[in-house]
Amino acid sequence: MQSRIERIVIIGTGGTIAGAAASATDNVGYKAGQLSVDSLVAAVPALRAESLEAEQLAQLDSKDMDVSTWARLARRVQAHLDRPEVRGIVITHGTDTLEETAYLLQRVLSPQKPVVLTAAMRPATALQADGPQNLLDAVAVAKSEGACGVVAVVAGQVLHGLELRKTHTYRLDAFEPGPDSGLLAVVEEGAVRRFRDWPQGVALGASTLPQDASDWPWVEVLASHAGAQARALEAWHQAGVQGVVLACTGNGTVHQALNGPVQALRQAGVPVWRTTRCAQGRIVGAPEEKGAALTPWAARIELTLELLQRR
Ligand code: SIN
């Protein structure tokens, strides 16, 4: 018999996991976000024994994730977490911006129950679709004793919501933990074998995220690179950008052509954060800089949250 708090809520947002191609042998020429979350659940017979409810929140290719959907998602997740009978949440999502949604949800909700994002690299119509196993594994993690915080489950790997990054365009195990960390756990035949603590932190609250997209600050990411020019930054400054994250070369260096506009932005009170565009490591020697250990995309969210809190 199941106890009262076994309910898992599965929230669908689209992605390749809900994608469909014209042919079962086509793993790349598909359209993301075609199948309902109900049909994703129905495709996994092993889930029939679980106490589940499914909710379709969005139907997006996650490259098109937008702030209004983020604000709605954070509120819906919190509403479900507040229900005593709910044990955990699973969110089906596209892989392309999954790390951004995971980072945002962990910082905003820092949930005491598990919020598990899952995805797939192959569409649901593929000969060997990876979505059904990933969904089953995600439910196993959401039910796991003591689990909390935002994590992602893909290809049998459980990754910390603040650290994971998509590092491959095609492989089924397309995600890796951050450079100085490891997997949080693995899922083997439905059993969760854990190596590290679940994500913890202070919740900023879902209400931090404005529901109206126009109330979000405008924060951009700019890469420093050979041949960089001042004019993109100058144009953003003129257009009213409210924060900039630099994806710097190496250990946080910036092309000299960008020095002038960076200084002008800072003098005008527009924060400019440094991150590194290197796949591994952090900016060494800058522990006080908030972007030093983050990917440019995570830093963009962190700066956005900081600007929202300043209001
Ligand atoms: C998406 O991110 O929605 C499409 C790509 C994927 O899920 O792998």
Side-chain angles (χ1 to χ4, degrees):
M1 242 211 4
Q2 284 179 337
S3 78
R4 270 189 69 245
I5 56 159
E6 286 298 312
R7 178 65 57 97
I8 304 291
V9 179
I10 305 187
I11 299 180
T13 70
T16 296
I17 191 166
S23 145
T25 53
D26 189 352
N27 292 317
V28 293
Y30 59 86
K31 203 159 167 8
Q34 300 300 299
L35 276 69
S36 70
V37 67
D38 284 325
S39 60
L40 302 187
V41 173
V44 187
L47 288 178
R48 281 183 206 140
E50 305 290 349
S51 169
L52 300 177
E53 68 187 60
E55 174 174 323
Q56 193 78 51
L57 182 112
Q59 195 58 292
L60 287 170
D61 184 320
S62 82
K63 73 178 175 59
D64 299 323
M65 182 53 72
D66 56 73
V67 293
S68 308
T69 305
W70 268 353
R72 271 194 311 124
L73 178 62
R75 284 169 173 78
R76 283 308 290 157
V77 170
Q78 187 61 62
H80 286 302
L81 291 172
D82 289 343
R83 295 166 54 198
E85 75 278 18
V86 169
R87 170 96 181 235
I89 313 281
V90 170
I91 301 171
T92 57
H93 198 288
T95 61
D96 285 346
T97 59
L98 185 146
E99 69 202 68
E100 295 174 56
T101 299
Y103 190 95
L104 180 89
L105 291 178
Q106 174 59 29
R107 291 288 287 119
V108 170
L109 304 179
S110 189
Q112 294 310 301
K113 295 176 182 177
V115 174
V116 184
L117 285 97
T118 194
M121 290 298 288
R122 292 180 181 160
T125 49
L127 211 48
Q128 281 195 314
D130 50 332
Q133 183 69 53
N134 288 344
L135 184 56
L136 185 64
D137 289 349
V139 170
V141 173
K143 286 173 49 188
S144 174
E145 193 61 42
C148 68
V150 178
V151 298
V153 174
V154 178
Q157 302 183 330
V158 185
L159 301 117
H160 192 297
L162 295 180
E163 298 170 358
L164 78 145
R165 36 193 84 181
K166 186 174 180 183
T167 56
H168 205 279
T169 54
Y170 186 71
R171 266 185 3 214
L172 301 190
D173 57 339
F175 291 88
E176 286 181 32
D180 298 324
S181 43
L183 292 177
L184 200 151
V186 289
V187 188
E188 296 161 330
E189 300 295 304
V192 179
R193 186 156 60 91
R194 188 162 63 86
F195 312 123
R196 299 176 53 200
D197 290 342
W198 298 101
Q200 302 274 356
V202 178
L204 302 175
S207 59
T208 310
L209 307 181
Q211 283 173 295
D212 187 336
S214 63
D215 291 334
W216 285 63
W218 177 24
V219 181
E220 283 292 344
V221 175
L222 183 82
S224 186
H225 52 82
Q229 297 185 27
R231 54 186 159 172
L233 264 186
E234 287 166 352
W236 285 349
H237 193 173
Q238 263 192 355
V241 74
Q242 289 159 287
V244 174
V245 171
L246 294 174
C248 299
T249 38
N251 193 41
T253 51
V254 179
H255 194 291
Q256 58 183 0
L258 302 180
N259 288 342
V262 165
Q263 204 182 355
L265 281 161
R266 285 184 172 147
Q267 273 168 359
V270 178
V272 181
W273 285 14
R274 291 191 308 155
T275 62
T276 180
R277 63 180 219 182
C278 291
Q280 302 286 326
R282 60 177 64 202
I283 301 177
V284 175
E288 74 294 350
E289 286 190 42
K290 295 179 188 154
L294 299 177
T295 63
W297 336 116
R300 201 194 76 80
I301 294 169
E302 196 60 46
L303 177 51
T304 301
L305 293 172
E306 188 170 303
L307 293 171
L308 286 169
Q309 286 177 281
R310 277 190 206 165
R311 290 177 173 175

